[in-house]
Amino acid sequence: MMKRLILAAAAAALFVAAPASAEPEKIELTKMMGRWYEVARVPNKLQDGCEAGASDWTPREGGFAVVQRCWKDDGGQTTWKAKATADPSNTRIKMSFFGGLVSQDYRVLEHRIDQGWLILGTANGKYVWLMSQKPTLPAAIKAQAVARMKQLGFDPARLEFPGPPRS
């Protein structure tokens, strides 16, 4: 009897400790158009030393053209161009960089249209970004978005918060 209670307690603890499912959200693709500013991200080699990151999304035949920019520590600007297409369910976005040499699948994990932010993650769950339609988010809304990232299973302690665009 005691063994059963211990096993039941261990199983319950595992269930409670497991991260929430980060299922992709169906998005209205027209809401992706325009400029999105980077508010937070899990560190990655490509964006090491990047500040004031932004992505510009414009429609193009068969998908989107995306131009991503950031300012590096040395004052120079880095730019990446990508082609993006959505899957038929509008839950996943495939982006190809460097003329198609590199591609990555992304999922919109949360999109708060009314507050102007979204959480974008790689399909493998390794990387995540908090993006905003404005250069900065009010502190309370930013805290809410970071709390949502935690609910989705991402560790807020791993996030870095690059500086906003320079004026």
Side-chain angles (χ1 to χ4, degrees):
M1 180 68 158
M2 185 57 114
K3 262 187 177 176
R4 284 186 187 165
L5 285 174
I6 292 171
L7 286 173
L14 285 174
F15 179 76
V16 170
S21 174
E23 286 299 314
E25 190 172 295
K26 186 171 183 170
I27 56 167
E28 186 179 331
L29 297 176
T30 58
K31 302 293 183 188
M32 291 293 297
M33 297 302 111
R35 178 163 288 177
W36 288 89
Y37 297 93
E38 189 179 69
V39 177
R41 67 175 176 242
V42 168
N44 63 78
K45 195 170 205 121
L46 190 61
Q47 290 182 294
D48 190 33
C50 275
E51 296 290 329
S55 298
D56 293 306
W57 289 69
T58 55
R60 63 174 296 243
E61 190 176 328
F64 312 94
V66 182
V67 178
Q68 298 175 313
R69 293 181 178 87
C70 77
W71 292 93
K72 291 289 195 163
D73 294 334
D74 63 8
Q77 187 181 51
T78 299
T79 302
W80 302 273
K81 293 182 180 180
K83 293 178 182 175
T85 55
D87 72 347
S89 68
N90 286 351
T91 60
R92 295 180 190 271
I93 299 167
K94 182 178 205 78
M95 294 178 72
S96 58
F97 301 88
F98 311 111
L101 292 175
V102 176
S103 66
Q104 180 69 54
D105 291 328
Y106 296 91
R107 301 180 300 164
V108 175
L109 302 174
E110 184 80 23
H111 190 189
R112 298 283 175 93
I113 297 169
D114 59 325
Q115 295 178 340
W117 60 266
L118 63 80
I119 298 170
L120 183 69
T122 54
N124 64 10
K126 189 173 180 180
Y127 300 105
V128 67
W129 294 263
L130 171 58
M131 306 294 289
S132 169
Q133 290 178 309
K134 295 185 179 179
T136 57
L137 283 174
I141 291 176
K142 184 169 145 181
Q144 179 186 41
V146 170
R148 181 65 181 131
M149 292 169 94
K150 183 177 181 178
Q151 288 174 340
L152 291 168
F154 297 99
D155 180 3
R158 289 192 58 220
L159 295 176
E160 58 187 19
F161 296 88
R166 299 175 182 142
S167 355

